Amino acid sequence: MRARDVELIVTGDEESAAKRVAEILAESARGGDEIALTGGSTPGRAYELAAELEPDWSAAGVWWGDERCVPPDDERSNFGLARDTLFAKLEAQPGRVHRIRGEDDPAAAAALYERELRGTTLDLVLLGLGPDGHVASLFPNAPELAETERLALPAEPKLEPFVERVTLTPPPLRSGRRIVFLVAGEQKAEAVAAALAGPPDPAVPGSVIRAESGETLAVLDQNAASRLRD
Ligand code: 6PG
């Protein structure tokens, strides 16, 4: 299957995929971009390397594509992941940190985050991809995928960790100037093929997220890319 509206970068292993994404993050931070980070187990290494490449993030604004509804010091927190792997290693902290308040009521946290984001275009949207094809906390066939007005909504998890989420909806993700998927591992190969090469299908949320007027890039290790052609 050939990728649809996505530029692919396929690297030898997960470490080199993380390094490539770290370069993108570092350049973006240096340029003072509005950057949406992602959670999960894959991006931590890219965050560490990005801090080494660019230890001064004072020009950058940092956002999140989604958050687990837990306090910021909980080990499942996406903010906590960035704090420990990125912020803790910087010499100068990001000028603007727009945390989703996972410790609050999810509807209230989503409404507050939406108010903060409205009027801002994300320059860089980093996304992972779940084995079920989810991105941010937009899970297969979830009602949030059809949202056209709201920028952030509460969402029910369909995979571990089973805590409620707050997620960006498709409009702010699609209006990102640059969307970058970072995906590694053989267990993601089917999801990668469906999300990047299959037709747009709400059963595979990654397949409906492309930059409307910017560019969409996928940085994959060769295991994750193994079901793609070219
Ligand atoms: C989250 C995410 C989510 C993640 C994927 C991939 O909070 O869980 O933002 O969308 O990116 O689930 O996660 P892994 O890297 O752990 O596979």
Side-chain angles (χ1 to χ4, degrees), residues 37-43 65-68 76 78 127-132 134-139 159-161 165 182 184 187-188:
L37 300 176
T38 186
S41 54
T42 315
D66 71 327
E67 183 56 281
R68 289 91 176 263
R76 296 165 294 183
N78 287 345
L127 293 173
L129 183 73
D132 59 352
H134 81 264
V135 289
S137 284
L138 297 168
F139 290 92
L159 281 182
E160 296 258 11
R165 315 293 182 90
L182 168 62
Q187 74 284 6
K188 300 283 182 72

Side-chain angles (χ1 to χ4, degrees), residues 74-134:
D74 186 290
E75 62 176 18
R76 296 165 294 183
S77 163
N78 287 345
F79 168 80
L81 172 74
R83 180 196 54 217
D84 297 346
T85 57
L86 176 62
F87 304 159
K89 298 178 166 57
L90 295 176
E91 285 165 17
Q93 293 300 303
R96 305 168 298 285
V97 175
H98 303 274
R99 180 171 81 79
I100 302 173
R101 293 181 55 86
E103 67 274 41
D104 289 356
D105 166 70
L112 183 65
Y113 191 55
E114 170 165 317
R115 279 203 295 280
E116 226 168 300
L117 180 63
R118 207 167 275 287
T120 296
T121 299
L122 296 168
D123 296 298
L124 175 62
V125 176
L126 181 63
L127 293 173
L129 183 73
D132 59 352
H134 81 264

Side-chain angles (χ1 to χ4, degrees), residues 29-225:
R30 206 173 293 132
D33 281 354
E34 301 298 329
I35 302 171
L37 300 176
T38 186
S41 54
T42 315
R45 183 65 182 143
Y47 297 162
E48 285 174 358
L49 294 168
E52 281 174 23
L53 290 171
E54 180 50 74
D56 180 354
W57 278 50
S58 56
V62 176
W63 304 80
W64 278 263
D66 71 327
E67 183 56 281
R68 289 91 176 263
C69 293
V70 294
D73 55 359
D74 186 290
E75 62 176 18
R76 296 165 294 183
S77 163
N78 287 345
F79 168 80
L81 172 74
R83 180 196 54 217
D84 297 346
T85 57
L86 176 62
F87 304 159
K89 298 178 166 57
L90 295 176
E91 285 165 17
Q93 293 300 303
R96 305 168 298 285
V97 175
H98 303 274
R99 180 171 81 79
I100 302 173
R101 293 181 55 86
E103 67 274 41
D104 289 356
D105 166 70
L112 183 65
Y113 191 55
E114 170 165 317
R115 279 203 295 280
E116 226 168 300
L117 180 63
R118 207 167 275 287
T120 296
T121 299
L122 296 168
D123 296 298
L124 175 62
V125 176
L126 181 63
L127 293 173
L129 183 73
D132 59 352
H134 81 264
V135 289
S137 284
L138 297 168
F139 290 92
N141 296 313
E144 297 81 36
L145 284 161
E147 182 60 40
T148 58
E149 303 295 327
R150 296 289 309 272
L151 306 182
L153 285 172
E156 288 302 323
K158 298 281 166 50
L159 281 182
E160 296 258 11
F162 287 101
V163 288
E164 200 165 354
R165 315 293 182 90
V166 170
T167 187
L168 288 184
T169 57
L173 296 174
R174 291 187 185 123
S175 66
R177 293 188 215 280
R178 198 175 197 199
I179 295 176
V180 177
F181 290 90
L182 168 62
V183 197
E186 171 63 31
Q187 74 284 6
K188 300 283 182 72
E190 287 292 344
V192 164
L196 302 187
D201 179 355
V204 183
S207 70
V208 302
I209 303 299
R210 297 289 188 277
E212 273 159 356
S213 54
E215 71 168 324
T216 307
L217 181 71
V219 181
L220 312 170
D221 74 351
Q222 60 187 3
N223 290 327

